């Protein structure tokens, strides 16, 4: 079973209207009625519009075939309309807050991942699209939404995801089941690496002090990973990852979903708000640049993960598929050297013991050292929302 974490983004439920203001000649499927998100409530919609776009002629031909054959399906009660980007370009001018498919493709440099894009202005969840149509879509297909109103989180929690969030899911296929639980760490690492790259490209350093600080190697904005895969910025959560998998025909079909708060600076913070604080002259980060950079990073990290991982396990601690990336991952997360109190119940007595986190085990759980110098593997108990409250330890031989 994959570890997973919530896609809840730290931004309030908001009201919005006129999602797409289109010309009167626009087909019915593009005329989205005014929608309201009530506090703590989810929207209900029986219609959905998907737009397909490819990086090259090959992907555009696949997109055309998917549309022609009416391949993509959602739930039975959804009125689904599918268009090619070339078709909608003739119908309306893309709105400012809509995902810019052309900008995204121009920033993308991958050979496989992210090259076929499915975009929707309003959808239940991007995860629904890729998981429901996994077998019909090329591996690496990505679905991006401007707004999703039934986002999926840990323990089937539902989270609202308003305008200003980067919301996308994509497909991966793997054969070795031992490596599947570790994929979420590759995804998390690619997110943090993408944020670093995009910030470095967009930050302007107008003063000597800022330039000096930059060359001293002090990062302006360092996104960090909270195990297993929440994304934190300056101590506040700005995003999360959810990976789910099914096993079919001797292969694991994995749908990886990412939610990242790019523009909602209330009630806590977002990427652009934090960037403005540290560099007022900084450029505005766009969703398109971030997701393109993510796939550019992910494809390289995934290649290392698959091709340089060592199987079978010769050493239960280090020789596993994630081994070549573990040092980079642990340099990005929040937990190296963190001390955790473990509560264990024996008969009617509860005992507490202290352990110190060292890294990851071969199975993807936390590797920790106890006060007795014994190595332990730490598991979440499955009940606590905070993974660090209710950890269970297992002694490693």
């Amino acid at each position: 079973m994959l570890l997973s974490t919530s896609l809840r983004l730290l931004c309030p439920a908001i009201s919005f209207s006129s999602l797409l203001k289109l010309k009167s000649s626009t087909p019915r499927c593009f005329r989205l009625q005014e929608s309201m998100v009530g506090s703590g409530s989810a929207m209900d919609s029986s219609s959905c519009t998907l737009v397909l776009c490819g990086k090259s002629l090959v992907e555009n031909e696949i997109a055309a075939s998917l549309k022609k054959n009416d391949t993509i399906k959602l739930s039975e009660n959804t009125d689904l309309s599918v268009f090619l980007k070339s078709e909608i370009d003739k119908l309306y001018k893309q709105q400012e807050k809509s995902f810019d498919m052309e900008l995204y493709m121009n920033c993308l440099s991958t050979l496989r991942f992210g090259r076929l894009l499915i975009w929707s202005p309003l959808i239940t969840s991007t995860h629904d699209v890729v998981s429901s149509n996994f077998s019909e879509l090329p591996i690496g297909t990505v679905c991006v939404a401007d707004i999703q109103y039934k986002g999926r989180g840990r323990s089937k929690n539902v989270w609202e995801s308003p305008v200003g969030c980067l919301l996308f899911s994509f497909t991966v296929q793997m054969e070795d089941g031992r490596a599947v639980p570790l994929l979420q760490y590759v995804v998390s690492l690619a997110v943090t690496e993408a944020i670093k790259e995009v910030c470095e490209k967009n930050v302007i350093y107008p003063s000597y002090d800022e330039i000096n600080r930059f060359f001293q190697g002090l990062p302006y904005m360092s996104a960090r990973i909270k195990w297993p895969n929440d994304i934190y910025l300056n101590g506040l959560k700005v995003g999360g990852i959810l990976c789910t998998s099914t096993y079919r025909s001797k292969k694991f079909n994995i749908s990886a979903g990412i939610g990242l708060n790019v523009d909602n600076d209330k009630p806590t913070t977002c990427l652009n708000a934090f960037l403005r604080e540290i560099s007022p002259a900084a450029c505005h980060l766009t969703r398109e640049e971030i997701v393109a950079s993510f796939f550019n990073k992910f494809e390289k990290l995934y290649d290392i993960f698959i091709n340089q991982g060592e199987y079978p396990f010769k050493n239960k601690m280090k020789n596993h598929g994630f081994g070549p990336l573990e040092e980079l991952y642990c340099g990005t997360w929040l937990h190296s050297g963190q001390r955790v109190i473990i509560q264990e119940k024996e008969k009617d007595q509860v005992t507490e013991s202290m352990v110190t986190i060292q890294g990851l085990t071969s199975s993807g759980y936390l590797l920790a050292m106890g006060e007795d110098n014994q190595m332990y593997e730490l598991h979440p108990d499955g009940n606590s929302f905070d993974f660090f409250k209710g950890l269970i330890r297992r002694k490693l031989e």
Side-chain angles (χ1 to χ4, degrees), residues 268-306:
T268 54
T269 191
C270 63
L271 295 184
N272 276 315
F274 190 73
L275 189 60
R276 288 192 300 269
E277 289 180 8
I278 58 179
S279 181
C283 297
H284 185 83
L285 303 184
T286 68
R287 293 180 299 157
E288 295 82 0
E289 289 177 291
I290 295 172
V291 70
S293 179
F294 165 82
F295 281 117
N296 295 340
K297 294 290 185 181
F298 175 79
E299 187 164 272
K300 295 175 182 177
L301 295 171
Y302 183 74
D303 181 64
I304 294 172
F305 173 57
I306 293 299

Side-chain angles (χ1 to χ4, degrees), residues 4-11 166 168 183-196 199 221-243 257-262 268-271 274 290 294 301 329 332-335 387-388:
S4 63
T5 191
S6 164
L7 276 173
R8 184 182 187 185
L9 300 178
L10 298 175
C11 41
L166 171 58
F168 67 102
L183 178 69
Q184 60 187 335
Y185 302 144
V186 184
V187 175
S188 302
L189 189 54
V191 171
T192 59
E193 291 295 297
I195 292 172
K196 282 183 203 172
C199 287
M221 185 161 73
S222 180
R224 312 284 282 180
I225 299 168
K226 180 183 177 184
W227 185 82
N229 44 25
D230 281 342
I231 307 301
Y232 270 63
L233 193 63
N234 198 30
L236 298 171
K237 182 178 175 181
V238 292
I241 290 88
L242 174 69
C243 293
I258 295 92
L260 194 62
N261 189 357
V262 179
T268 54
T269 191
C270 63
L271 295 184
F274 190 73
I290 295 172
F294 165 82
L301 295 171
Y329 179 87
T332 307
W333 73 347
L334 298 168
H335 310 300
F387 278 96
F388 289 89

Side-chain angles (χ1 to χ4, degrees), residues 27 50 58 66 78 88-89 92 99 220 228 232 245 257 259 280 288 342 351:
L50 300 179
V58 173
L66 290 171
T78 300
I88 65 169
D89 283 344
Y92 76 98
F99 190 83
Y220 269 88
Y232 270 63
S245 69
E288 295 82 0
I342 304 295
T351 61

Side-chain angles (χ1 to χ4, degrees), residues 2 5 22 28 49 83 142 169 204 316 361 387-388:
L2 279 175
T5 191
L22 307 176
R28 173 186 57 81
T49 296
F83 290 84
V142 58
S169 299
I204 300 173
K316 291 185 179 180
T361 65
F387 278 96
F388 289 89

Side-chain angles (χ1 to χ4, degrees), residues 14-65:
I14 62 170
S15 298
F16 61 93
S17 61
S18 303
L19 295 176
L20 295 177
K21 297 178 181 178
L22 307 176
K23 297 179 181 179
S24 58
S25 59
T26 304
R28 173 186 57 81
C29 56
F30 279 114
R31 294 199 201 104
L32 299 181
Q33 298 296 319
E34 291 191 356
S35 303
M36 301 293 288
V37 181
S39 177
S41 64
M43 287 179 293
D44 184 23
S45 176
S46 59
S47 64
C48 176
T49 296
L50 300 179
V51 181
L52 309 183
C53 176
K55 171 71 174 176
S56 70
L57 179 62
V58 173
E59 289 83 29
N60 280 317
E61 288 179 346
I62 293 173
S65 176

Side-chain angles (χ1 to χ4, degrees), residues 132-175:
S132 300
N133 299 280
F134 196 102
S135 300
E136 287 71 36
L137 299 173
I139 298 302
T141 297
V142 58
C143 178
V144 178
D146 291 341
I147 300 168
Q148 63 179 21
Y149 56 93
K150 288 186 180 179
R152 297 169 59 183
R154 188 167 69 91
S155 301
K156 298 182 180 180
N157 289 316
V158 176
W159 306 105
E160 295 174 359
S161 308
V163 174
C165 298
L166 171 58
L167 311 161
F168 67 102
S169 299
F170 67 101
T171 59
V172 186
Q173 194 171 68
M174 301 175 67
E175 296 182 0

